Amino acid sequence: MGDMKRRNRPARQQTWVYLTESGIGLLVLERSRQGIVQVKTSLWRAEDKPLEQAEQLADWVAQHTRGQLNLLLSEPAYQLLLVDVPDVPATEIDAALRFKAAELISYDLDDAAVDIILLPTEAYRGRLRMAFVVAAGKRPLSDWAMAMAKRGHRIECIDVDQLTLRNTAIRTLERNQSGLLFIEADRCRLILLFNQEIVLSRQFEIGYSNLGLDADGVTGLVLEGTVDIQFEALSLEIRRSFDFYEAQLGLGAISEVAVLGWPGEPDISEMLSARLDTRFSLLHPEDFILSSTDTDWPVELTPALGAAFRESAA
């Protein structure tokens, strides 16, 4: 698996193939000398588990790309595991964390591509050194590398969409204690940051469809009181996450949270701000990235946009 750590100087142009459970996306991003990022190409194709269809889909990818490219994985193609770092010499940390990962992943370690992200020591007030272990199955990644190599393309690196969402949060938020809530149709993902690194990542099975909206932001038919119940459930889970961040991790109060993916009215950021006494603000892709066309990019590609702020990518 490619180096997943956040970079400070993104490559000028990047080509990403985004593999989710329900489709495959292709995104070409270009960064100007002034740091402005533009979407040059954005394509989406509905497919069932495209990670497992490398040979079938490689021609479609090759048709729209040239040379090197990168893979971006969506859950459940990978696992992001928060683990404590064993008290071993620095030279042995990587091996020790891989051994620990073997106890947590759902397949044999020999069949896994693993990357380690050590978190800053100050994030846990010196009580424990923590790290994220990112694991994905080797076989489908090898299949994609082989399929693209047959067509004259090289996969330069592999990343995961939790980290591209982190990149978006870092790009758009200024406070050390901040977060990003990414809302999809049937779920949402909350990441909380300390000094520009994820220290907590949670997923809730509540999306904008549970809160009464469809993908176009239109209010649908729901049972009376259902939206209120779902909103209260979401607020409660976010509050629990804030409490863990503040009390258990000792990192202080979250000062701001960006809300990405909300498709319309009412303004959920205002509702969450009032309910949780924390500043929530709506974030739209056009707030941090440009499109080269008048048409909107596919909403399914929203998590991938943060890949523009990554270095060491083709």
Side-chain angles (χ1 to χ4, degrees):
M1 195 176 300
D3 177 15
M4 293 180 175
K5 300 173 180 63
R6 178 175 53 83
R7 304 297 186 167
N8 294 321
R9 296 179 181 177
R12 183 170 182 182
Q13 182 165 301
Q14 304 175 14
T15 300
W16 290 89
V17 177
Y18 186 31
L19 302 170
T20 77
E21 278 286 279
S22 59
I24 178 172
L26 191 139
L27 195 62
V28 179
L29 302 165
E30 185 171 277
R31 183 183 177 89
S32 72
R33 295 180 183 275
Q34 293 74 35
I36 299 172
V37 179
Q38 185 176 65
V39 177
K40 305 297 288 187
T41 303
S42 56
L43 302 172
W44 177 259
R45 173 172 168 170
E47 291 285 348
D48 184 41
K49 297 182 178 180
L51 182 63
E52 302 172 8
Q53 300 188 60
E55 193 60 42
Q56 297 92 320
L57 296 174
D59 284 334
W60 180 80
V61 173
Q63 178 184 350
H64 299 289
T65 60
R66 295 183 299 172
Q68 296 177 328
L69 52 86
N70 315 288
L71 291 186
L72 181 64
L73 306 181
S74 179
E75 294 177 300
Y78 68 90
Q79 292 175 265
L80 183 69
L81 308 166
L82 181 64
V83 299
D84 59 288
V85 178
D87 185 16
V88 298
T91 55
E92 299 177 16
I93 286 178
D94 190 76
L97 289 175
R98 289 174 185 272
F99 181 79
K100 178 167 285 193
E103 303 174 353
L104 300 173
I105 62 177
S106 55
Y107 43 88
D108 193 279
L109 185 62
D110 291 338
D111 299 324
V114 176
D115 205 357
I116 307 295
I117 304 173
L118 289 172
L119 298 179
T121 54
E122 64 270 20
Y124 294 88
R125 299 300 188 199
R127 291 174 295 180
L128 283 174
R129 183 76 191 274
M130 304 296 290
F132 277 112
V133 175
V134 189
K138 280 183 181 177
R139 182 58 185 271
L141 301 180
S142 298
D143 289 345
W144 268 98
M146 181 65 70
M148 296 313 304
K150 289 179 184 177
R151 292 155 178 84
H153 296 259
R154 179 186 174 209
I155 294 176
E156 177 69 18
C157 75
I158 301 168
D159 211 334
V160 299
D161 61 1
Q162 285 271 43
L163 299 186
T164 54
L165 287 172
R166 173 202 61 184
N167 294 348
T168 295
I170 292 170
R171 176 73 172 184
T172 55
L173 299 171
E174 298 179 355
R175 307 291 181 86
N176 285 340
Q177 292 113 328
S178 58
L180 184 141
L181 179 67
F182 177 55
I183 303 179
E184 300 174 81
D186 57 356
R187 66 170 180 168
C188 62
R189 288 182 272 179
L190 175 68
I191 60 173
L192 300 182
L193 308 179
F194 179 79
N195 284 351
Q196 300 190 331
E197 285 294 352
I198 298 176
V199 293
L200 185 64
S201 173
R202 296 190 65 201
Q203 178 173 302
F204 317 124
E205 302 305 315
I206 301 171
Y208 57 74
S209 62
N210 306 104
L211 298 172
L213 295 184
D214 64 16
D216 295 320
V218 177
T219 302
L221 295 176
V222 293
L223 294 175
E224 184 177 356
T226 299
V227 171
D228 292 338
I229 292 172
Q230 293 293 329
F231 177 75
E232 286 301 315
L234 176 61
S235 300
L236 178 60
E237 292 298 340
I238 296 174
R239 169 53 63 198
R240 287 172 174 166
S241 303
F242 286 178
D243 290 345
F244 183 83
Y245 183 97
E246 184 173 354
Q248 298 299 315
L249 301 183
L251 298 180
I254 292 290
S255 55
E256 61 176 334
V257 178
V259 180
L260 181 64
W262 183 251
E265 299 292 341
D267 189 341
I268 194 172
S269 64
E270 294 182 0
M271 297 167 61
L272 288 171
S273 296
R275 183 71 176 80
L276 296 168
D277 195 27
T278 301
R279 182 174 179 267
F280 286 76
S281 58
L282 284 182
L283 178 65
H284 303 286
E286 55 267 27
D287 295 334
F288 58 91
I289 205 162
L290 299 176
S291 175
S292 59
T293 68
D294 293 332
T295 58
D296 293 334
W297 45 74
V299 66
E300 294 87 352
L301 293 178
T302 300
L305 294 174
F309 313 119
R310 187 194 198 281
E311 198 183 34
S312 296

